[in-house]
Amino acid sequence: MDHVSGDDVTNNPHLAEAIDVTREGSAPPDSTDYDEPDSAGPGVTLRDSCFHVAIEELEKIQSAPEESQEEIDRVLGMLREAQHADNERRANVMAKAHKILQEVWVPPA
């Protein structure tokens, strides 16, 4: 899967951050430093950090319409399930999450 790129616009800061870090977390394994041990602190890689931040930001969203919340919940499930998988699967899940989140609308927080 290719690394996702692009500028995404939303008025909700939590959704915007989740979109940004899922793009970052979609970086192909071994092509960047995202999977270097301790790159985001002791025992944490940058890709680990992307998962943590995406999950945390999506959990903060309180104002999503029902349809959007269903998509957010689906993405949260995908991220939680793949969080400790191999790096290739994690990159693919991040890319899929990024694509889904670009289609989600949430009003400003």
Side-chain angles (χ1 to χ4, degrees):
M1 171 134 322
D2 292 329
H3 177 67
V4 182
S5 61
D7 296 319
D8 306 304
V9 178
T10 178
N11 290 331
N12 185 286
H14 304 302
L15 180 59
E17 184 67 13
I19 289 171
D20 189 45
V21 297
T22 54
R23 179 191 50 78
E24 289 181 35
S26 72
D30 304 322
S31 66
T32 64
D33 294 333
Y34 277 87
D35 301 312
E36 290 294 316
D38 304 327
S39 55
V44 181
T45 67
L46 287 172
R47 194 176 316 270
D48 294 336
S49 178
C50 287
F51 269 86
H52 176 75
V53 171
I55 290 168
E56 184 178 89
E57 290 300 317
L58 290 173
E59 288 175 338
K60 290 178 183 176
I61 296 174
Q62 302 294 318
S63 59
E66 185 176 341
E67 184 177 312
S68 294
Q69 189 61 52
E70 288 172 4
E71 290 297 290
I72 290 167
D73 291 344
R74 183 169 75 122
V75 169
L76 279 167
M78 290 169 38
L79 294 173
R80 288 179 180 130
E81 182 181 308
Q83 190 170 9
H84 302 291
D86 65 80
N87 290 328
E88 184 170 335
R89 179 157 184 262
R90 294 188 326 149
N92 288 336
V93 167
M94 277 286 189
K96 186 174 181 179
H98 180 75
K99 184 176 181 178
I100 292 168
L101 292 174
Q102 286 181 307
E103 301 298 321
V104 170
W105 182 83
V106 177

